[in-house]
Amino acid sequence: MKSHSAWGTSKSLVKFRIPTSDNLVPIRLDIEIDGQRFRDAFTWNPSDPDSEVVVFAKRTVKDLKLPPAFVTQIAQSIQTQLTEFRSYEGQDMYTGERVVPIKLDLRVNHTLIKDHFLWELNNFESDPEEFARNFCKDMGIEDPEVGPAIAIAIREQLYEIAVQSVTSAKESRISKKGRRAGEFYSASKTGGNAVDLVKLFGNKSSVIRKRKEWDVYEPIVDLLSNEEVDALEAKEERNIR
Amino acid sequence: MEKIFQDLEPYSVPSYSNWFSWSNIHEVERFSLREFFDGSSITRSPRIYKEYRDFIISKYREDPSRKLTFTEVRKSLVGDISILHKVFTFLEKWGLINFDVKSDKEADNCNGNCKPISVGGEEEEEGWRGRVKVEEGAPYGVRVVAAPNSMKPVATLPPPPSVRADGGRGVGEVGENGFKWPPLASYSDVFGDSVQQEKKKVLACGSCKENCDSSHYEYTKEGSFILCEKCFKSGNYEKNKLADDFKLINSGDQSVVWTEAETLLLLESVLKHGDDWDLVAQDVQTKSKLDCISKLMELPFGDLMFGSANRKSKFLDVTGDESNFKQAQLHFNESQESAKVEDPSHGLKDEGQQNGYADTQGQPLKRIRTEPTSNTSYSLMNQVARISTAVGPHVTASAAEAAVTALCYENQCSREIFDEDDNYADLKASAENIEQKRAAQGNLLDGDERPKQSEIQGPSSHKDTIQINLRMRAATATALGAAAAHAKCLADQEEREMEHLMATMIEAQLKKLKRKMKYFDDLELIMEKENAHIEELEESLVADRLNVLQRIFDAGISRWRDHASVKSQTGSVQ
């Protein structure tokens, strides 16, 4: 089987990384100090030196005029997430052919986004940012914070899936029998995420989706009024607490 | 399928895409989307590709006048979203979909190079503009106060069309706790300027829809309606608006004029706050942050203000040192010039000495450190000067002192020159001054004392220099003379000794001769006496003979018969 360079061959082991063209880690911050809440999400390049973390934290606090107590918290949070990422880094993960569904359900300022699509996991040249850009362009979203938010949401999900594949790789190595049923991972073996490729792409089916399913996969972008935003925020905070 | 197509108008496809056919997959497709054709995955196969392609093109052709977006099609297609997008852009690039769709930019792109449409802020906006109705003439957005503290309005994002102009508080929201978040610095820093600039550039008059060049009239009541000058003058307003309600705004007015008071405020606040431009902008209330920064950069020393909080003290010190050094340089140059002026005025025996001296004074100027050479071809003064530069100034000064005292002690005439109290002190001071000036060349940091001293010495340096020269020469001459005299003394003494010895020798010889002569004299005397004595004897002898003879006569002796007898007589006499 010939293989395109960007696409991992089945059952190949690759060092852990985010399966996108840029190995960027999604970082999410949600810090509360003295009643002030700071939420943010961004991507971080794990090959940056760790000294950059503190610099970034300081800069953020300065730009946003937060109380200085945030600096250490921010830096710590980033550092923790980075360390977690790095703990996976030396390990192997399977990059068999897997197409996973990605769901978006996020609110950025006034924009509410719901979406559902498929993402190929072993496409190491995939670019969430490009997807987000196209999305915003096509949907006519002007708020520039939406694009990055979408990209980060995608990355987070990919990150999670990659972590799962690392653990499953470990498991399969531990158990001698190994999970080598066929070349493709069926849904049950990978933790229920992946799509059954044979079913979808096999010769018997069409890749054109049935109409009734179109709604499922259609992106929904809602622009909310202020009251709705407030209401949603209140609900979110109640959920968290 | 082809039957259906025959009933309709032919779709326009660019000429470079006429390789396309429904029933085949062309080489171009195989090449550009090779991941479908290399069998690398079950998710990609030629069949799958064909399905994607056909669906997308058909979807587009359902309504060729509207631009088909990727999002519309991807919900209907199963597959990795990235690869779907790739197919979509491929088709769009080749004009098989979205060809000749309105939106000027895209048409240009397609007619020309037909690249996939790049996403940029402006293009996004314009594409969007084509879709959404925009309020006429007004720049987007309502001016919004971004944060509780800042007075400056932030150019917010344009409100989404579904939200009316009253809303759109944009980013500056009141959270639950009454805390207002300032806008994320990244966006407003990066895009705020360009949006503002766009605003400035794209000021379209409300009535004639042309760009307002320099000044425009803003309708104060509504705040978002502007007219260009021409329209205002020609009375070409909307119905309800009166002339009085319009306010003249000269664009570019505020940002250019900086009054002195503002500049002063700016500098003070920068010194106080340093890098915190928000606070600076607050202090200088009439100017924005950017204005402050750009004004500061324009000011000649403004660059030094950046980060001035740290460097304040150092800055002043540096300038202080520099001014001191320059002062020292100046004074040295002055005295140097005065020295050089006087030099030709003295008539000198030895020009070489003078030049050598001037040279050495000049040399420390050119080279901070001079190597003392043992080159004896230079004059004595030269050597003395060089050696004095090699050792410290105080050493040289005290050496000069000692030499002077010694000379005074030995020689009377030199004392005449040197032995005036104030002159002596001056000599010492000015000798030190010279040494100090030379030292100052090598050691720039003691700027404070030198200028003062050299100032004091300045007026008196003229007079001192003459006396110093004379004294130096006199001292040298005296030294040489003393040496010569001493040598002569020694020589004389040597001669005398030699003479003395010679005399002694001669005397001795004379004595010897005299004694010899005396000896001979004595001998002569003796000889004479003996001579006399002998003569006496002789005479006596003669006398005796005579006597004898006489007697004979007297005795009448017979004749000489008897020789024998005579002989016997004579013999007996004997």
Side-chain angles (χ1 to χ4, degrees):
Chain A
M1 270 188 146
K2 278 190 291 179
S3 59
H4 192 260
S5 60
W7 308 75
T9 51
S10 58
K11 284 197 338 186
S12 63
L13 278 171
V14 166
K15 287 295 168 204
F16 174 83
R17 52 163 288 176
I18 304 278
T20 56
S21 60
D22 309 310
N23 189 23
L24 300 173
V25 184
I27 305 264
R28 200 169 271 279
L29 297 175
D30 190 353
I31 301 172
E32 181 152 359
I33 296 180
D34 293 338
Q36 274 185 34
R37 194 120 180 267
F38 171 63
R39 294 171 77 185
D40 197 4
F42 48 87
T43 49
W44 187 271
N45 188 348
S47 54
D48 274 348
D50 281 352
S51 54
E52 287 293 316
V53 173
V54 178
V55 173
F56 172 80
K58 284 190 183 153
R59 188 80 217 172
T60 311
V61 165
K62 185 177 170 196
D63 285 347
L64 296 176
K65 297 185 175 39
L66 301 170
F70 273 92
V71 176
T72 39
Q73 291 267 2
I74 291 174
Q76 261 177 27
S77 175
I78 298 175
Q79 198 64 46
T80 325
Q81 297 182 53
L82 273 179
T83 324
E84 197 187 321
F85 175 78
R86 293 217 175 93
S87 70
Y88 290 112
E89 236 175 353
Q91 301 173 29
D92 302 327
M93 64 177 187
Y94 276 115
T95 57
E97 295 191 29
R98 275 170 64 188
V99 173
V100 292
I102 302 271
K103 287 200 179 125
L104 295 180
D105 185 0
L106 53 135
R107 181 188 71 79
V108 181
N109 300 332
H110 285 267
T111 316
L112 193 69
I113 295 174
K114 286 199 171 66
D115 200 357
H116 184 104
F117 49 87
L118 297 170
W119 191 281
E120 179 145 7
L121 206 58
N122 54 336
N123 178 9
F124 287 128
E125 278 179 12
S126 58
D127 195 353
E129 278 78 21
E130 193 194 343
F131 170 79
R133 271 200 301 273
N134 288 322
F135 186 90
C136 292
K137 184 177 73 137
D138 286 347
M139 304 303 290
I141 295 175
E142 279 283 334
D143 187 349
E145 294 182 28
V146 174
I150 293 175
I152 289 168
I154 296 173
R155 272 190 194 278
E156 281 181 326
Q157 297 185 41
L158 292 176
Y159 182 26
E160 211 180 294
I161 294 168
V163 168
Q164 282 176 6
S165 68
V166 168
T167 39
S168 71
K170 261 197 265 182
E171 282 174 7
S172 63
R173 249 186 294 161
I174 289 170
S175 77
K176 293 218 168 168
K177 289 180 190 168
R179 303 178 182 274
R180 296 208 181 129
E183 289 183 346
F184 318 109
Y185 281 89
S186 63
S188 58
K189 284 175 185 171
T190 53
N193 247 355
V195 162
D196 192 345
L197 298 175
V198 180
K199 196 163 68 166
L200 282 182
F201 293 97
N203 280 325
K204 292 191 188 152
S205 63
S206 160
V207 282
I208 314 289
R209 218 170 250 137
K210 299 182 187 122
R211 271 189 188 264
K212 61 185 180 186
E213 285 183 7
W214 285 12
D215 293 335
V216 182
Y217 291 92
E218 187 170 7
I220 300 170
V221 177
D222 268 343
L223 289 163
L224 308 170
S225 68
N226 295 328
E227 298 82 14
E228 291 170 342
V229 170
D230 293 340
L232 272 176
E233 273 187 351
K235 196 162 58 162
E236 282 167 14
E237 298 208 0
R238 257 182 275 127
N239 285 343
I240 289 168
R241 293 210 184 148
Chain B
M1 264 203 351
E2 265 134 338
K3 276 193 204 163
I4 300 173
F5 288 161
Q6 273 168 5
D7 291 342
L8 304 168
E9 281 182 12
Y11 294 100
S12 51
V13 167
S15 57
Y16 45 78
S17 299
N18 55 7
W19 45 264
F20 174 73
S21 88
W22 286 103
S23 46
N24 288 332
I25 297 176
H26 193 260
E27 268 307 307
V28 176
E29 300 168 285
R30 284 181 192 274
F31 180 75
S32 308
L33 297 164
R34 59 190 81 124
E35 44 270 346
F36 285 98
F37 303 98
D38 56 10
S40 55
S41 161
I42 194 176
T43 60
R44 300 184 290 281
S45 74
R47 174 190 74 88
I48 292 174
Y49 164 70
K50 192 166 184 303
E51 281 193 51
Y52 287 156
R53 178 194 78 181
D54 296 346
F55 179 83
I56 294 174
I57 297 180
S58 315
K59 189 91 181 140
Y60 166 68
R61 290 185 178 181
E62 285 172 17
D63 184 5
S65 57
R66 64 100 176 78
K67 179 169 182 278
L68 181 70
T69 64
F70 171 63
T71 312
E72 281 181 50
V73 293
R74 60 122 156 139
K75 69 182 181 216
S76 322
L77 296 173
V78 178
D80 174 43
I81 199 132
S82 313
I83 199 70
L84 285 174
H85 186 69
K86 213 167 167 189
V87 175
F88 186 82
T89 39
F90 169 78
L91 294 173
E92 200 167 30
K93 168 182 159 187
W94 284 98
L96 295 165
I97 57 174
N98 292 338
F99 182 65
D100 213 13
V101 177
K102 78 152 180 268
S103 166
D104 302 0
K105 242 184 159 29
E106 289 164 16
D108 288 340
N109 275 349
C110 284
N111 285 337
N113 199 359
C114 217
K115 296 185 299 177
I117 293 175
S118 57
V119 179
E122 284 185 345
E123 294 172 3
E124 228 177 83
E125 232 174 86
E126 290 196 357
W128 192 57
R129 226 185 254 170
R131 247 184 263 191
V132 175
K133 196 155 151 45
V134 175
E135 287 186 20
E136 287 188 350
Y140 289 165
V142 177
R143 294 164 74 141
V144 165
V145 175
N149 297 332
S150 143
M151 310 296 272
K152 184 180 91 63
V154 167
T156 57
L157 330 157
S162 60
V163 182
R164 290 295 306 161
D166 66 334
R169 249 185 275 161
V171 193
E173 293 212 326
V174 183
E176 269 202 338
N177 301 328
F179 182 80
K180 280 196 185 165
W181 291 103
L184 284 177
S186 55
Y187 175 69
S188 39
D189 281 347
V190 173
F191 291 105
D193 308 328
S194 62
V195 175
Q196 266 189 349
Q197 278 193 1
E198 277 187 21
K199 267 170 67 176
K200 282 184 192 161
K201 285 181 205 162
V202 190
L203 285 171
C205 172
S207 58
C208 64
K209 306 289 185 302
E210 286 175 355
N211 285 341
C212 306
D213 298 2
S214 59
S215 55
H216 57 275
Y217 288 84
E218 183 168 308
Y219 189 51
T220 47
K221 285 194 186 163
E222 216 181 270
S224 57
F225 190 76
I226 46 174
L227 290 183
C228 61
E229 279 182 283
K230 285 187 289 182
C231 292
F232 183 71
K233 283 179 189 151
S234 61
N236 195 2
Y237 334 128
E238 298 282 302
K239 310 169 216 170
N240 306 336
K241 302 183 175 67
L242 306 171
D244 293 334
D245 293 332
F246 280 88
K247 190 177 67 173
L248 175 66
I249 297 176
N250 271 323
S251 66
D253 192 355
Q254 268 198 335
S255 55
V256 169
V257 175
W258 274 80
T259 64
E260 283 188 14
E262 285 175 341
T263 320
L264 190 62
L265 262 179
L266 168 69
L267 293 173
E268 279 177 6
S269 56
V270 167
L271 278 175
K272 207 173 12 154
H273 300 299
D275 263 345
D276 203 345
W277 299 112
D278 291 322
L279 291 175
V280 171
Q282 267 179 44
D283 285 344
V284 187
Q285 280 138 6
T286 48
K287 295 285 180 288
S288 70
K289 238 186 340 186
L290 296 168
D291 289 336
C292 292
I293 299 175
S294 47
K295 176 68 183 173
L296 204 57
M297 287 197 282
E298 283 169 33
L299 291 173
F301 49 87
D303 280 341
L304 295 165
M305 292 294 178
F306 291 117
S308 67
N310 296 337
R311 288 188 271 144
K312 204 166 29 172
S313 52
K314 272 193 222 166
F315 170 62
L316 295 172
D317 285 345
V318 165
T319 49
D321 277 346
E322 284 181 358
S323 65
N324 278 343
F325 171 64
K326 282 178 189 152
Q327 232 185 348
Q329 272 281 20
L330 226 73
H331 286 293
F332 189 94
N333 285 336
E334 282 176 5
S335 56
Q336 177 67 15
E337 284 173 11
S338 61
K340 282 198 175 145
V341 161
E342 290 137 20
D343 288 345
S345 68
H346 295 294
L348 296 172
K349 311 171 212 171
D350 193 358
E351 289 272 339
Q353 268 190 2
Q354 180 54 39
N355 289 336
Y357 181 67
D359 276 350
T360 53
Q361 262 214 334
Q363 264 163 6
L365 263 180
K366 293 174 199 164
R367 283 180 281 161
I368 292 177
R369 288 210 172 17
T370 61
E371 287 288 325
T373 62
S374 54
N375 191 353
T376 50
S377 63
Y378 288 118
S379 62
L380 180 69
M381 287 306 296
N382 212 329
Q383 281 191 313
V384 168
R386 281 171 188 267
I387 294 169
S388 68
T389 53
V391 301
H394 297 291
V395 176
T396 334
S398 37
E401 247 185 274
V404 163
T405 31
L407 283 172
C408 288
Y409 186 66
E410 282 182 44
N411 197 345
Q412 189 66 26
C413 71
S414 59
R415 198 175 284 167
E416 285 171 4
I417 299 177
F418 292 130
D419 204 13
E420 301 161 7
D421 283 343
D422 39 350
N423 275 358
Y424 184 64
D426 276 343
L427 169 70
K428 200 168 70 162
S430 50
E432 282 180 4
N433 196 18
I434 294 176
E435 311 312 327
Q436 281 171 354
K437 279 176 188 171
R438 288 209 200 96
Q441 288 305 308
N443 203 358
L444 303 175
L445 292 181
D446 305 327
D448 287 336
E449 299 169 35
R450 308 281 176 261
K452 289 180 198 159
Q453 260 203 348
S454 52
E455 275 178 15
I456 295 169
Q457 296 294 333
S460 61
S461 65
H462 182 87
K463 188 180 65 165
D464 280 347
T465 334
I466 301 176
Q467 284 178 333
I468 289 168
N469 284 343
L470 176 60
R471 284 178 200 156
M472 295 300 286
R473 266 177 265 128
T476 323
T478 319
L480 284 173
H486 194 228
K488 189 156 194 297
C489 277
L490 280 175
D492 285 6
Q493 192 175 7
E494 283 288 322
E495 237 183 282
R496 266 184 271 128
E497 264 198 39
M498 277 164 58
E499 286 178 8
H500 179 67
L501 286 172
M502 284 286 290
T504 323
M505 275 166 54
I506 291 168
E507 270 188 36
Q509 294 276 58
L510 281 174
K511 272 182 189 169
K512 207 162 72 173
L513 284 172
K514 272 185 195 170
R515 279 201 187 134
K516 275 187 185 170
M517 278 172 58
K518 200 175 174 188
Y519 180 70
F520 286 131
D521 283 357
D522 286 339
L523 278 177
E524 247 188 319
L525 275 173
I526 292 169
M527 293 270 300
E528 281 180 3
K529 278 185 187 168
E530 278 199 355
N531 201 21
H533 190 62
I534 290 172
E535 276 184 340
E536 270 179 11
L537 278 177
E538 223 183 17
E539 271 180 88
S540 67
L541 281 174
V542 166
D544 280 350
R545 270 176 106 200
L546 284 175
N547 270 340
V548 164
L549 287 171
Q550 228 11 64
R551 290 171 134 192
I552 298 174
F553 278 50
D554 292 332
I557 340 187
S558 54
R559 263 173 211 221
W560 303 68
R561 341 188 218 161
D562 238 33
H563 293 273
S565 65
V566 164
K567 260 200 212 154
S568 61
Q569 263 180 0
T570 48
S572 66
V573 171
Q574 280 182 350

